Amino acid sequence: MRAVAIGLVLVYHAGVGYVPGGFVGVDVFFVISGFLITGLLIREIEKTGRISLPTFYARRAKRLLPATGLVLVVTTILTWLTTSAVEWRSFGLDVVAAATYVVNWRLADRSVDYLAEDVGASPVQHFWSLAVEEQFYIVWPLLLVLLAWWIRRHHRLGIRPVLAGGIVAVILPSLAYSIFLTATSPAAAFFVTPTRLWELGIGALVAIGAPMWQQVPRLVAVIGGWCGFAAVVASGVMISSAAAWPGYAALVPTVGTAVMIVAGYTSGGAGVAGLLSWRPAVWIGGLSYSLYLWHWPLLTAATAQWGELGARWGLLIVAASIVPAYLSLKLIENPIRFAPSIARSNRLSLSVGANFTAVGVVAGLALVLVVPSGGGSASSQQAQGATALGSEVQPPAGTTKSLASVDWFVPDAVTAVDDVPPYPEHCQVDQESPVPVRCEWGDPDGNVTIGVVGDSKIMQWYSAIGEIAEDKGWRVVSYTKSACGFHDGMQVNKGEPYESCAAWNDAALQELVELRPDVVLTSQRVNDVLADASDIESRSVDAMVDAQVRRWTQLTSVGIPMVVLLDNPNPDGLVVYECVADHPEDLAACTFDRETGVHESGAAAQARAAEQVSNVQVIDMASEICPDDECVPVIGNVLVYRQSSHITDTYARTLVEPLRQKLVTAVDEVS
């Protein structure tokens, strides 16, 4: 069964499109782990009346932690060799979290963080499931110890019925929470422990019922086992990687796995146990833990080095991971696991595990500490930014010559993704929620109300707009949502129709109509918009233009004028701050063509839409962000770009005056 689970995961991670739901292999592992650990503990309770926690944790430590420490050290080295310096801090902390088995919570937090979208796949992302299991291994024996103590005080009650009741009391709320969180925050639900405990609990329940399973008729076991196997395989083949998971859908592979285990007690060679007892499958199953540890760091390192691999190369790398997996099993894991001196001493076993954990932590911290400084030590108050474009003191940083003379800049390139406006976190609705959130800023007593609506492209101007609003006595009311432009078309997010954005858009329109601001200000990134909401392949820029025209007309037709702040030039695949971090002495390597940048932005579509709607003014800041034919990464000692095509907040603050001139004029003309 471990061979089936690891096979699904490996093929899925290799990028084989025929197994889009291969991630269900992890769910199979959860059930197996719950079954094995609970079976081990229940037998100890029945034999001795108690559980030796030191012995249990010592066995886990010497079994799991040596391989973990080795893999994390090698992963750290591969990450240092193949990824950009801007990712070292994040990935180094991931390694620390993986070594201490809390990385699933870190990944859950990142999964709902829009500002983390430029962070690549973590080289230790696969450790999330191991973290869930380790947290289970810590808590589960303690629960069984409490139940065993309670049983000793009530001798009339059988051990297994009481334990079954305790496990059901864990399964039901965990499953309910899994269904709830999967519906409300699927990205986080995938990683967090409470949404997965029920899967381990199902395996535990199977272990508790072992005496009953030995009475299952052979024919029933044979049929049931093959049905369980079909459910697991069908889940891997038929479930889409875009499916909200785990939730109730995960019942299919988990219950299927449980049925296979039950069937194995009496089915014999005619059942699925006959197939799973095939020697190559048993060998792969025995190697599954090591394979799981090794394959993902090799895949991510190869992807970082050579780009997207494709299924063929992915499968080759996965196959190649058998070599380090086998060597680590034979040279590290088994010698430590079966060493007589270690086996005789719980203290020594725990010490060995702690030392390998410490090695992993040190490796991660080392990656954090080697992160270079990408911009010098000067403060943002000393940097001119966009004001240098009109200064005689320093020539515009729009030529290779001026770039060559830049010896410092702010913010630091390796932390540029954090250089964001200081708006309250709740003001920008996440990608799951369809409910608009109203935020007010500027002058709360202002006699002019500016409605701000759109995605993060309008909120990148938060600091500049806020300063202008306070100076002019404007009250600003904003409704914004991550990756969701303000129009009535069906947008695409992560390859799927962005349903929550469509619902949010309609609700935001109603909010604005009821608010009746003097002016509505909007901007947005370029969006894939579906010409046909039922056809994911029908996306087009023309559909985006039409969708904007319809939505904007709904406002202007009721007497609410609009100002459209055109999207800034898009680096189009060039991650500017990453390039700067990797080429601090050659900033000219990080330029991009202005014409291409404007074409790849949402500016052209916005301008076309504005021409078709009356009472709409347009503001174009492209010349202040990219003053020459080549867009440069640093202007006036300020790094221009951060995450994706967003500008840094530091640079946006230097654009207050040119934005003030254009925005005040536009508001006066339409209001």
Side-chain angles (χ1 to χ4, degrees):
M1 290 179 67
R2 283 192 176 117
V4 173
I6 192 63
L8 287 168
V9 171
L10 295 183
V11 173
Y12 169 67
H13 283 166
V16 177
Y18 296 113
V19 192
F23 54 85
V24 304
V26 172
D27 303 88
V28 175
F29 275 127
F30 285 153
V31 177
I32 294 173
S33 294
F35 170 75
L36 293 175
I37 293 303
T38 306
L40 176 70
L41 295 172
I42 187 65
R43 287 191 295 272
E44 185 176 353
I45 293 174
E46 290 178 329
K47 183 178 180 180
T48 68
R50 58 187 294 275
I51 294 173
S52 173
L53 292 177
T55 300
F56 174 81
Y57 292 132
R59 283 197 298 259
R60 294 296 89 202
K62 67 181 181 180
R63 170 67 182 98
L64 302 175
L65 301 183
T68 295
L70 174 64
V71 170
L72 291 179
V73 169
V74 174
T75 299
T76 300
I77 295 171
L78 289 174
T79 302
W80 176 64
L81 291 174
T82 61
T83 65
S84 168
V86 302
E87 296 185 306
W88 291 353
R89 177 176 283 106
S90 177
F91 288 164
L93 294 175
D94 286 352
V95 170
V96 173
T100 53
Y101 289 100
V102 294
V103 73
N104 63 315
W105 293 99
R106 178 171 167 81
L107 293 173
D109 182 62
R110 185 184 300 165
S111 70
V112 296
D113 181 4
Y114 180 63
L115 298 176
E117 69 174 13
D118 280 345
V119 178
S122 174
V124 293
Q125 182 168 299
H126 61 318
F127 268 78
W128 77 267
S129 62
L130 302 178
V132 170
E133 290 196 16
E134 284 298 307
Q135 292 159 32
F136 172 78
Y137 295 155
I138 291 172
V139 174
W140 203 246
L142 297 176
L143 174 62
L144 296 189
V145 165
L146 289 175
L147 289 173
W149 171 82
W150 193 84
I151 290 168
R152 287 198 301 270
R153 292 175 60 89
H154 301 78
H155 299 288
R156 297 179 182 178
L157 298 174
I159 293 176
R160 289 182 183 261
V162 172
L163 292 179
I167 292 169
V168 170
V170 172
I171 290 175
L172 293 180
S174 173
L175 177 58
Y177 183 65
S178 178
I179 294 171
F180 166 75
L181 196 63
T182 300
T184 57
S185 185
F190 189 89
F191 293 110
V192 297
T193 306
T195 64
R196 298 291 186 163
L197 277 179
W198 67 271
E199 300 183 51
L200 291 138
I202 284 179
L205 207 57
V206 173
I208 296 296
M212 294 187 296
W213 314 141
Q214 295 171 2
Q215 309 302 317
V216 174
R218 186 169 183 271
L219 180 60
V220 173
V222 169
I223 296 174
W226 283 111
C227 289
F229 180 76
V232 171
V233 174
S235 297
V237 174
M238 300 178 66
I239 292 175
S240 167
S241 59
W245 199 263
Y248 61 84
L251 284 165
V252 177
T254 51
V255 172
T257 303
V259 170
M260 280 197 290
I261 297 174
V262 169
Y265 281 91
T266 59
S267 64
V272 71
L275 173 64
L276 300 180
S277 298
W278 186 39
R279 290 191 66 180
V282 172
W283 186 81
I284 291 294
L287 195 62
S288 60
Y289 176 61
S290 297
L291 268 175
Y292 188 81
L293 287 177
W294 282 101
H295 82 283
W296 183 252
L298 298 182
L299 281 171
T300 55
T303 301
Q305 186 68 28
W306 297 300
E308 291 298 321
L309 300 173
R312 178 180 300 178
W313 283 103
L315 287 171
L316 285 173
I317 291 171
V318 163
S321 68
I322 293 175
V323 175
Y326 179 79
L327 292 175
S328 69
L329 178 67
K330 293 299 182 182
L331 301 180
I332 301 293
E333 296 175 58
N334 283 348
I336 293 175
R337 182 183 180 189
F338 299 116
S341 60
I342 297 176
R344 287 192 297 267
S345 172
N346 289 339
R347 180 176 295 181
L348 184 56
S349 296
L350 292 169
S351 175
V352 168
N355 286 331
F356 274 99
T357 295
V359 167
V361 170
V362 169
L365 292 177
L367 190 60
V368 173
L369 293 174
V370 298
V371 174
S373 175
S377 59
S379 69
S380 59
Q381 285 76 21
Q382 296 174 287
Q384 294 177 287
T387 60
L389 298 175
S391 171
E392 297 179 1
V393 177
Q394 178 178 327
T399 66
T400 302
K401 180 178 179 181
S402 64
L403 286 175
S405 67
V406 174
D407 56 2
W408 64 269
F409 55 86
V410 290
D412 193 319
V414 297
T415 59
V417 71
D418 299 321
D419 193 66
V420 296
Y423 55 80
E425 185 176 344
H426 70 276
C427 285
Q428 183 141 300
V429 176
D430 63 31
Q431 296 180 9
E432 276 75 45
S433 175
V435 181
V437 172
R438 173 173 173 157
C439 283
E440 296 195 22
W441 30 295
D443 184 349
D445 300 318
N447 54 8
V448 172
T449 298
I450 308 293
V452 168
V453 63
D455 57 19
S456 59
K457 277 305 186 73
I458 189 62
M459 288 301 270
Q460 75 178 351
W461 297 98
Y462 174 90
S463 298
I465 293 172
E467 183 175 335
I468 296 168
E470 290 180 358
D471 291 346
K472 294 294 294 181
W474 293 345
R475 166 177 169 246
V476 181
V477 179
S478 66
Y479 301 94
T480 59
K481 177 176 169 66
S482 294
C484 182
F486 182 61
H487 55 70
D488 74 352
M490 178 58 73
Q491 299 172 54
V492 179
N493 187 40
K494 299 177 182 177
E496 296 290 327
Y498 198 178
E499 301 282 356
S500 69
C501 176
W504 176 90
N505 247 292
D506 291 340
L509 174 67
Q510 290 304 117
E511 293 275 353
L512 289 168
V513 170
E514 293 175 11
L515 177 67
R516 298 199 69 83
D518 296 281
V519 175
V520 166
L521 175 64
T522 190
S523 186
Q524 67 178 68
R525 66 187 180 96
V526 62
N527 291 116
D528 287 331
V529 176
L530 302 182
D532 179 351
S534 63
D535 181 7
I536 198 69
E537 301 301 326
S538 68
R539 64 190 73 178
S540 72
V541 174
D542 288 342
M544 176 180 171
V545 172
D546 294 341
Q548 289 176 134
V549 169
R550 291 191 299 270
R551 177 64 83 215
W552 299 353
T553 300
Q554 288 174 305
L555 281 180
T556 58
S557 64
V558 295
I560 303 175
M562 293 191 63
V563 174
V564 178
L565 182 52
L566 299 185
D567 189 16
N568 55 270
N570 190 325
D572 186 33
L574 173 67
V575 183
V576 173
Y577 71 97
E578 182 177 300
C579 178
V580 169
D582 293 337
H583 303 87
E585 305 301 324
D586 183 20
L587 298 183
C590 306
T591 62
F592 62 94
D593 180 66
R594 174 193 168 104
E595 184 177 350
T596 301
V598 171
H599 176 74
E600 295 298 325
S601 74
Q606 291 170 305
R608 284 172 54 195
E611 291 175 353
Q612 302 176 47
V613 183
S614 60
N615 216 14
V616 174
Q617 290 291 314
V618 169
I619 295 175
D620 187 358
M621 298 294 292
S623 60
E624 286 80 10
I625 295 171
C626 181
D628 295 330
D629 293 338
E630 286 292 311
C631 299
V632 296
V634 174
I635 296 177
N637 298 107
V638 176
L639 184 65
V640 178
Y641 285 91
R642 58 170 171 90
Q643 174 216 21
S644 185
S645 63
H646 297 78
I647 62 174
T648 63
D649 186 55
T650 302
Y651 192 72
R653 289 173 184 270
T654 71
L655 290 169
V656 168
E657 289 310 314
L659 179 61
R660 183 199 308 273
Q661 296 173 15
K662 297 179 181 182
L663 182 57
V664 171
T665 300
V667 169
D668 288 344
E669 290 185 0
V670 297
S671 61

